[in-house]
Amino acid sequence: MSFRFNKATFEDNSFNEQIREKLTHALNADSGSGSQSKSANASNSAVTDEVKQETKGPKKLDILKSGITVSKVNFPSIPQLEILDLDLSAQSKSLLKGICKISCKDAMLEINTEIEANLLLLYTNNGPAFTTPRLISNDSFTVPITMTFDQIELEAITNIFVKNTSVGISFNDVNLDFNFDCSIKLLQSSIEKRLKGSMETVFKDVLPSVIFSMSQRWFTHGETTGGYPEEKLQQHVESQSHLPRVILEDSDLEDLSPATMLRLSTLVSSRQSLSLNPTAMNTLSAIPGCLERQNLHRFNSRVPALSNFYPDFHAAEAPDLKLLGRSVSSNTIVGGGYNQQLNTLPQRVLDERSYNLNTIASVQSRIYERSNGDNTNLRRRKIKMGGRNKSKIQVSKKLERKASVPDVEGIAEAGPPTSLSNNAERSEANVRNTPDFVHSPRPVSVAQSPELLGENSAFFNIPHLQLSAKAGANQTYPVVSPPTPKLNLLEEAQSLNRRRDLQKLRSSLYSPMRNSKFYVTREMERPILEHKGLSFVGLAQGLKWGSEDLPPPYGC
Amino acid sequence: MIDYMEKVLRSFELRTGWNRDNSYENIMATSENLLNFDIPTGLKCQVSNRSTGNTYSTFELSNNKVINGSLAYIYTNCEGLDKYLSSSRETLLQDASESYRQITPPHQYRYSRKGFESTSLWHGRMYYPSSTLEAMVVKRLNPETQLVAKCLSSLAHTSVLTLYLQKDSGRNCQEWIASSNEGLLGYRILHNFTGSQSKLNTSLYNNSSLSLGAEMWFGVLNTSPACSTTLRYCTHSANTGRPLTLTLSWNPLFGHVSSTYSVKTSSGATISSKYDFNLYSIESNLSFGCDVWRSGVQDIKLKKEDSAKPASPPSIERKAGYPDDKLMFYHLMAGSSNSQKLLDDLNVTFAPSLHKIHQERSNIENYESSLREANFTSVWRLSTSLRDRNLKVLWEGKYKEFLISAGTELTNTPLDVPTNSIQESKTSNGFLRPAKFGVQLQYSM
């Protein structure tokens, strides 16, 4: 969960004007009970309400003769918001719990309006004409009234809960102080008394309920949630006539785009269920384009790399990999060491020779495509191992299959380290040292980082890996597979890579929660993602999302 | 347009000798009629009938967004209302429409107290579908007092009962009012200064009246007071005999001063103007209103009947001192002996002035009779107010046997805008739009 406090709004004094406009607008809403209560405040008539209730007349008395104008608003200093405590997911239901201190000082507010002083006129106008005696010279007499609130000081400690689809705020410790000045001195004390009395309800009832209902609208994004259709809410509000109108509007939230709010709510809802048992095991993220931290290991496991194959071997070697997964603990912060995954084949694989050339070839080509943003076709060198080398079974002969590369020694040198240590640094050094070996059979290329591969676009050596590996492992080991099928394998790998389609990528990324259980082995057994686009998700620059533009990833 | 039921009530008052104009409530009736006349809303049809000798009924149907209507009944034990009531076919437009109120000075207004009977009038009106019930009882207790009880019972409002106790002694008219709505209590008084001819008046024929009234109100439940005082002067222009009315009212509580001037410039036109000013807030308002009567073909038969019946008197005979004229020449007769000689002398001495009196009086009376006899077919009313920026137009007339009134109010303040809206000043763009429109048809048998 992230939020932004736009401090710039308060830096210049333009927000004073904004407040003035919004207040004026809210106070002048027709039939708004906000203005009604204001009028009741301004009227010095506790009797007014009683009489209103007694007569139960269909019309309401309105002693305001004109609109309420908020003439001056002055907040000289920036309202301060101090976060005292922030607790994430304190309970299972509440996502965020925080304690804030809000304070604002020396603010000033001035309100102008006109009231009808001739109350009897109002009553006679509202009464039934038949029984109301006619009064002579009973015209209206309007009195302008100005109310000034000086030196408003507010200090409040608030508890904020961000729950499933709403924000709840409760004001615990409110210190509000202001100087009140009314142009009609006769009414000043009574208005002040009523105002201070009503302040408690404002902070206890009104503000929390207003914010709550407004936040519900954010999260549901205008949709009617099951329990609270808009009309029902409306009726609810209307039935409680003392509740003021919601004075916050959608226009206040224009900084938050609906799409963002939608995504945030999806994020919130997805997070909810991730407490212990992740629901969508086979997807990387519930939200397209967004990778969550706890899913990083899974993401890494799908990055085309040799180490991601043969999970069994890896599991045997490094069981802590799984420990780092989300399945262990959702609260654990995954360490950075997790990134040190090497693009190498596990030692055991090499030892037991259980690798498959076809897979390795496809991994390679995928690495190539990942690093190569553009659509340059993967070209592999095809070597026919028919005629002259066919009869030769010796290692040296196999090395000679790279006919274009004369330097056999370099290959021989490069081979052993790869097979033994699979050290990427070493292989890089090799590349740097021997730039001529671009076309040479180099097993190190498998261990190379994608950048290096990207530099040497024509660098392909699947068969040689096998050869060199064999050479490293056992120099005299004969070639197991016949040469002709190998050629087919190469082509097959290539075509396999071309088969990828964005639709699949989408479905895997978009796919909502599935009810599959979490099995690490199954996850590992899943075929490696065959989409080059995936690797770019949220990590790399120069994203390519295919024909349909997905929204850019936002951090989580 | 005066409703049939209202007309029955007025006939009842006329019959029982109750002077409607001698009440503070109606002290500004003329300017109210000319400036704040009611405009019907929607389409309204009224059918009225005198069902029996003592009961009257009205059926009303109105279409204002929804169709609703009302049924009204009146029962009165007062006999002889026939001559004050007429069907819509025969009635005169000036009787059916409220316009300039001719104030009769109380010394001229005499009602017979001898044959007074304690009569009463019961009125009930049921509105549907809202099921609102209006009820009114008017009871004449004695020649000087009248008790009015008005009651309203409905679902929307709590029931309201308003009681009026009115005491009219001619010179003074006092009223005590109590209403259950807001616990309103009120007291009204109207005093007529010119109970008899003023000796200061140079004009010997005195038809003017000066009245001063005041009212005090207090709403018990809302603790809001109200009061006002009003001065009214009615007279006739000496040359033309045209009546005019001036009022000046003052509300001391809210510093409101308003003055009106209404004059009937000719038999077919009335002009009224009103100027409001608030001493405290320096707000002011100027209103104009006028009505123009159009007369159709003179119904000679009707005219003859009318002229035969009442006024247009042979004035020379009266000048000689008939008993019923004694008021007029009271001050002349008072000190004189019965000797013919002296009288002759006086006649010689006062001949010019007596002639003048005669002329004035005949002027006025001719004018009044011409007004009475005129067969008006329609009247246009216009009123406008500077502050409210509105224009009210009302047409009332007789068509066939129907009394029709149609009117509209044009305003350039936005419609249906609540008072507490801030855009009020912005939207006045100079165009007048109808805020109200309505047609009322009235038929009575």
Side-chain angles (χ1 to χ4, degrees), chain B residues 297-440:
Chain B
V297 185
Q298 290 275 328
D299 194 339
I300 298 159
K301 198 175 154 192
L302 203 70
K303 189 186 175 185
K304 270 183 183 172
E305 281 173 4
D306 273 352
S307 57
K309 193 172 44 168
S312 76
S315 42
I316 300 162
E317 286 175 66
R318 293 198 175 186
K319 198 172 75 176
Y322 275 0
D324 63 329
D325 259 344
K326 70 172 194 285
L327 271 176
M328 190 54 59
F329 303 101
Y330 176 75
H331 56 296
L332 294 179
M333 302 294 288
S336 67
S337 69
N338 282 334
S339 79
Q340 188 63 36
K341 185 174 173 286
L342 183 59
L343 206 92
D344 288 345
D345 285 350
L346 281 172
N347 270 343
V348 173
T349 316
F350 290 107
S353 53
L354 286 175
H355 266 290
K356 198 180 163 196
I357 293 168
H358 162 64
Q359 199 150 8
E360 265 185 39
R361 185 188 159 115
S362 61
N363 258 345
I364 293 167
E365 283 176 355
N366 284 342
Y367 179 80
E368 282 178 4
S369 67
S370 76
L371 203 62
R372 256 198 305 273
E373 289 155 22
N375 182 24
F376 293 114
T377 52
S378 67
V379 55
W380 281 97
R381 294 176 194 282
L382 293 161
S383 117
T384 180
S385 160
L386 280 186
R387 186 180 58 193
D388 301 340
R389 294 184 176 184
N390 61 350
L391 176 69
K392 287 162 124 186
V393 184
L394 183 74
W395 181 87
E396 288 174 327
K398 271 175 78 175
Y399 178 74
K400 303 257 165 115
E401 299 183 0
F402 287 95
L403 289 169
I404 302 168
S405 88
T408 181
E409 179 173 359
L410 304 168
T411 177
N412 67 354
T413 49
L415 315 178
D416 296 333
V417 166
T419 49
N420 57 344
S421 75
I422 197 139
Q423 292 93 358
E424 213 165 349
S425 55
K426 290 180 191 168
T427 42
S428 54
N429 46 10
F431 290 108
L432 289 175
R433 279 163 301 173
K436 211 176 181 187
F437 178 77
V439 180
Q440 183 181 8

Side-chain angles (χ1 to χ4, degrees), chain A residues 170-201:
Chain A
S170 68
F171 292 86
N172 283 353
D173 193 6
V174 181
N175 287 322
L176 180 69
D177 193 27
F178 55 84
N179 293 342
F180 179 69
D181 186 36
C182 180
S183 62
I184 302 177
K185 296 294 176 194
L186 198 69
L187 306 179
Q188 178 165 339
S189 61
S190 75
I191 294 178
E192 191 172 4
K193 210 188 292 172
R194 290 166 70 94
L195 271 182
K196 295 209 163 158
S198 61
M199 275 306 150
E200 192 180 357
T201 47

Side-chain angles (χ1 to χ4, degrees), chain B residues 151-183:
Chain B
C151 175
L152 182 123
S153 164
S154 79
L155 295 172
H157 272 273
T158 48
S159 299
V160 179
L161 176 71
T162 308
L163 291 169
Y164 300 78
L165 181 63
Q166 300 168 319
K167 188 171 188 300
D168 184 4
S169 63
R171 269 183 93 84
N172 290 310
C173 175
Q174 301 177 76
E175 288 175 73
W176 293 268
I177 299 118
S179 173
S180 72
N181 189 18
E182 325 291 344

